[in-house]
Amino acid sequence: MKNLTERQKQAIATKLRITQISTDLFKRKGFENVKIQEICDAAKISTGAFYHHFKSKNEIINTGYEQIDLLLRERFESKTFNSNIDKIIYLVSEGSVLLQDLGWIFVGDVYKNLLSTDGKYTFKSDRFVTLEIKSAIELAIENDELQSSISSNTLTETILRISRGFIFDWCLHQGNYDLKTDILSDLNLILANYKK
């Protein structure tokens, strides 16, 4: 991989800064209430610079969602685990902590955006969370931590679908319960059915 030029590094830094400032505004005010000019003013950039990096506000939400995965990956790769099941539990629980930190308003806006966007990031089969959960399930089956009566694809999709459902429910309840606790309760019920 070739080294980035200073101009490329500056462009990446600017895009990240716009994403972070926008995410903060969305968390505080809600996606619909934030205007592009407000983002530009807060980021100290022109609207032309904004549109150089993003086609729309919706694209910022997608970028923000990808940033969640990057943070999760960084935390995941710095840990060691006693079992593959512990990896699965960590990925789901730490992901829910990151979402809870963003707040139900912002996460709700992400979900609204997903309903109206083609190429939904959350369903990407090469997404870090999806790949790691599937890998951990495959290893858990190989190492006799989980039964082989269910395929790794089916169990991965079940875990992701239940997680998305919990996140949606948490947004509907305006974040008034602990997302991590409730997701983990159901995740442990699912995994208990397939433990050896």
Side-chain angles (χ1 to χ4, degrees):
M1 186 167 160
K2 66 177 187 169
N3 292 336
L4 296 174
T5 66
E6 285 305 312
R7 188 177 178 110
Q8 290 169 322
K9 288 178 188 175
Q10 184 180 16
I12 291 168
T14 300
K15 187 171 183 173
L16 184 58
R17 191 172 87 252
I18 294 168
T19 302
Q20 290 170 334
I21 288 168
S22 300
T23 300
D24 184 53
L25 287 168
F26 298 156
K27 281 176 13 184
R28 288 187 287 119
K29 299 176 82 174
F31 179 77
E32 297 299 328
N33 298 322
V34 176
K35 305 291 180 226
I36 289 176
Q37 188 59 55
E38 189 175 357
I39 294 167
C40 295
D41 292 345
K44 297 179 177 39
I45 59 167
S46 67
T47 52
F50 175 89
Y51 285 111
H52 174 75
H53 294 286
F54 297 99
K55 293 177 188 159
S56 66
K57 285 193 314 182
N58 287 357
E59 194 174 312
I60 294 173
I61 286 207
N62 291 337
T63 302
Y65 210 82
E66 291 169 17
Q67 296 300 315
I68 294 168
D69 276 6
L70 290 174
L71 286 171
L72 184 56
R73 178 182 214 144
E74 184 179 301
R75 292 178 184 187
F76 178 77
E77 289 176 348
S78 68
K79 288 199 58 77
T80 55
F81 300 94
N82 293 326
S83 71
N84 292 295
I85 291 174
D86 286 348
K87 286 181 186 177
I88 298 164
I89 291 170
Y90 180 83
L91 286 163
V92 172
S93 68
E94 198 61 24
S96 66
V97 167
L98 288 168
L99 291 173
Q100 193 157 323
D101 288 347
L102 287 170
W104 73 269
I105 293 173
F106 176 74
V107 176
D109 286 335
V110 169
Y111 269 54
K112 279 190 261 183
N113 183 58
L114 288 172
L115 290 172
S116 62
T117 303
D118 292 331
K120 296 169 182 21
Y121 178 75
T122 191
F123 292 131
K124 289 178 101 178
S125 59
D126 63 346
R127 187 177 163 212
F128 166 74
V129 172
T130 304
L131 293 174
E132 287 301 328
I133 288 175
K134 185 173 186 269
S135 172
I137 290 169
E138 288 169 351
L139 289 170
I141 291 169
E142 271 180 41
N143 295 329
D144 287 332
E145 296 171 63
L146 292 174
Q147 301 171 24
S148 59
S149 61
I150 189 168
S151 76
S152 60
N153 286 334
T154 301
L155 188 51
T156 299
E157 187 51 43
T158 300
I159 290 168
L160 294 173
R161 190 172 37 247
I162 287 171
S163 296
R164 285 190 300 266
F166 253 112
I167 295 162
F168 181 69
D169 184 74
W170 176 73
C171 291
L172 288 174
H173 285 90
Q174 299 181 341
N176 71 0
Y177 62 82
D178 186 71
L179 183 60
K180 176 182 173 181
T181 300
D182 284 22
I183 285 180
L184 287 183
S185 174
D186 277 20
L187 177 61
N188 282 315
L189 284 172
I190 292 164
L191 293 174
N193 283 326
Y194 297 102
K195 282 184 181 175
K196 281 245 178 165

